[in-house]
């Protein structure tokens, strides 16, 4: 693994790559939302810092330092992470695992590297670390990761070089999903990527659950049925689906919006590669033809979804919001 094998984050790669071929500072802070890949980048950076022949792309991958890092056995590299189920890293651990260790010389590499999950450091833990961050031994580099910078003392912030990781594009998240799950269908990966908000970790979590994909199929079928379904069925069976999935209501609206977006593409170019799912694509094109749907009507369907989302955010009566929405959608899709 090298920086170039990690997807996206060109700015962070550049800023972490430079110190590897120059004279690195003693403390770096990697910030960015939870799930964005801070630890992955931090470990890659640490490998580069310990490597005997680093380039701006990270460690060489073959020297003893890189081999030890890959095997998680490098004696000059330590991680202090928040133990699962705990709220904070214990100050005693900061002292015993970091502060009393920094004075000991490195064994193999020319320096020692510490990765610290600063989200786990309460004020007391940060204070314990502060003096060492202020005057670190020459052979030591700290890499702190944090998702909420506002929880760090200004004195910690001012003593670290900050590198920010930013949300990835949908396309980048999709690439990661496909590389980690070789069996995933392209349309599934696209769906998870779209819902990930650019956070790779969240996209991977979504891919582990089934509700999103199930609901997507359900709403696609529902929209395809809109012109032909009876009002009674709409207000009973279809309504009960929404009622069961109440907690995901806004996500379902977003899914429906995706289907209408696809439909808008299908109106203009029925053979577009951007349309997903062969079987559904044909049905969609058929529905558009049969009911003479145009872009304007589909635009009005999206507007119906937007007002339903708004109404639910202000806590309107759920049943009324859903029924009104379903009837309005049916009206638009049945061409009057
Ligand atoms: Zn190396």
């Amino acid at each position: 693994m090298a920086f170039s094998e990690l997807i996206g984050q060109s700015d962070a790669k550049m800023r972490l790559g430079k110190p590897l071929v120059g004279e690195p500072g003693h403390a770096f802070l990697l910030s960015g939302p939870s799930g964005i890949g801070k630890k992955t980048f931090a470990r890659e950076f640490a490998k580069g810092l310990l490597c005997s022949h680093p380039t701006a792309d990270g460690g060489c991958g073959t020297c003893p330092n890189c081999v030890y890092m890959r095997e998680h056995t490098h004696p000059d590299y330590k991680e202090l992470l928040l133990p699962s189920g705990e709220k904070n890293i214990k100050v005693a651990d900061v002292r015993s695992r970091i502060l009393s260790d920094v004075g000991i010389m490195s064994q193999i590499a020319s320096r020692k590297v510490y990765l610290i999950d600063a989200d786990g450091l309460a004020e007391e833990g940060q204070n314990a670390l502060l003096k060492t961050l202020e005057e670190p031994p020459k052979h030591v580099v700290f890499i702190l990761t944090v998702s909420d910078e506002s929880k760090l003392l200004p004195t910690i912030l001012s003593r670290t070089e900050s590198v920010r990781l930013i949300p990835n594009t949908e396309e980048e998240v999709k690439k990661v999903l496909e590389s980690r799950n070789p069996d995933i269908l392209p349309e599934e990966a696209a769906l998870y990527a779209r819902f990930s908000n650019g956070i790779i970790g969240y996209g991977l979590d979504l891919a582990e659950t089934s509700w999103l994909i199930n609901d997507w199929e359900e709403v696609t079928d529902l929209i395809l049925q809109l012109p032909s379904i009876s009002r009674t069925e709409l207000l009973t069976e279809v309504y009960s689906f929404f009622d069961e999935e109440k907690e995901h209501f806004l996500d379902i609206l977003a899914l429906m919006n995706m289907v209408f977006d696809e439909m808008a593409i299908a109106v203009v170019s029925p053979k577009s590669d951007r349309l997903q799912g062969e079987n559904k694509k044909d049905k969609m094109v058929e529905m558009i033809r049969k009911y003479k749907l145009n872009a304007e009507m589909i635009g009005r369907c999206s507007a119906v979804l937007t007002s339903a989302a708004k109404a639910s955010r202000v806590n309107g009566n759920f049943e009324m919001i859903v029924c009104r929405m379903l009837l309005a959608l049916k009206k638009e899709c049945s061409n009057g």
Side-chain angles (χ1 to χ4, degrees):
M1 216 27 134
F3 286 137
S4 55
E5 290 170 60
L6 301 172
I7 287 171
Q9 309 296 352
S10 55
D11 186 56
K13 284 174 181 171
M14 193 191 66
R15 301 206 37 214
L16 294 172
K18 246 186 209 167
L20 295 181
V21 289
E23 200 45 55
H26 288 289
F28 292 83
L29 176 68
L30 256 70
S31 64
S34 177
I36 195 93
K38 296 184 291 294
K39 292 203 180 66
T40 307
F41 271 85
R43 288 177 182 130
E44 197 49 47
F45 183 46
K47 193 173 96 188
L49 287 168
L50 294 167
C51 173
S52 313
H53 318 287
T55 66
D57 193 28
C60 70
T62 50
C63 75
N65 288 297
C66 287
V67 173
Y68 282 123
M69 278 302 276
R70 191 165 55 233
E71 291 170 354
H72 310 289
T73 52
H74 203 303
D76 301 322
Y77 173 70
K78 297 214 159 65
E79 292 189 352
L80 185 59
L81 307 180
L82 181 66
S84 68
E86 302 271 322
K87 230 175 128 199
N88 292 307
I89 294 169
K90 291 193 183 74
V91 181
D93 287 342
V94 177
R95 294 214 172 89
S96 66
R97 292 177 49 198
I98 309 281
L99 303 182
S100 60
D101 191 73
V102 291
I104 304 166
M105 277 313 292
S106 56
Q107 291 181 43
I108 306 173
S110 59
R111 54 174 72 102
K112 291 176 89 160
V113 178
Y114 298 91
L115 168 63
I116 302 173
D117 177 4
D119 282 311
L121 289 179
E123 197 172 328
E124 210 188 348
Q126 294 180 40
N127 272 320
L129 196 64
L130 204 54
K131 196 167 176 312
T132 310
L133 274 185
E134 221 162 35
E135 293 168 349
K138 276 202 168 52
H139 64 280
V140 166
V141 177
F142 290 103
I143 309 171
L144 275 57
T145 59
V146 75
S147 50
D148 185 0
E149 271 182 65
S150 71
K151 284 191 188 147
L152 294 182
L153 297 169
T155 38
I156 296 263
L157 291 172
S158 68
R159 280 168 184 76
T160 51
E161 222 172 298
S162 168
V163 176
R164 203 177 293 265
L165 300 186
I166 54 166
N168 289 91
T169 63
E170 266 180 48
E171 202 44 49
E172 287 167 349
V173 177
K174 185 167 176 259
K175 260 191 206 160
V176 176
L177 284 166
E178 287 176 333
S179 71
R180 303 265 190 104
N181 307 292
D183 297 333
I184 202 167
L185 295 172
E187 60 260 37
E188 286 181 15
L191 176 72
Y192 298 133
R194 182 142 185 190
F195 272 76
S196 68
N197 296 324
I199 312 289
I200 288 172
Y202 185 50
L204 290 167
D205 285 349
L206 282 174
E208 304 252 301
T209 64
S210 57
W211 70 264
L212 188 58
I213 206 83
N214 291 342
D215 285 358
W216 182 46
E217 284 175 7
E218 190 96 14
V219 302
T220 308
D221 287 341
L222 155 67
I223 290 173
L224 291 171
Q225 281 173 31
L226 276 173
S228 55
I229 198 168
S230 75
R231 279 176 61 111
T232 322
E233 267 177 291
L234 195 64
L235 300 182
T236 53
E237 278 159 50
V238 175
Y239 171 74
S240 68
F241 160 72
F242 283 88
D243 195 39
E244 277 161 29
E245 296 290 294
K246 214 172 186 169
E247 55 168 328
H248 293 142
F249 184 54
L250 290 175
D251 294 319
I252 288 174
L253 294 182
L255 284 168
M256 293 174 79
N257 234 329
M258 270 173 71
V259 179
F260 283 120
D261 280 352
E262 291 215 339
M263 221 180 239
I265 297 173
V267 167
V268 196
S269 47
K271 298 212 183 308
S272 170
D273 290 341
R274 289 170 60 202
L275 295 173
Q276 291 154 0
E278 274 309 314
N279 185 25
K280 300 254 161 85
K281 190 199 292 190
D282 292 345
K283 284 191 187 155
M284 204 179 263
V285 173
E286 194 193 310
M287 171 174 163
I288 291 167
R289 198 179 41 82
K290 190 167 172 195
Y291 295 93
K292 301 188 178 60
L293 301 185
N294 59 37
E296 215 174 296
M297 294 169 195
I298 292 165
R300 283 200 296 268
C301 290
S302 297
V304 168
L305 298 177
T306 309
S307 43
K310 258 189 208 155
S312 98
R313 281 200 191 91
V314 297
N315 284 326
N317 177 305
F318 183 75
E319 190 173 354
M320 202 149 90
I321 294 169
V322 174
C323 292
R324 192 177 286 167
M325 172 188 84
L326 291 172
L327 290 171
L329 291 175
K330 180 173 167 57
K331 183 164 170 262
E332 292 298 345
C333 292
S334 326
N335 206 359

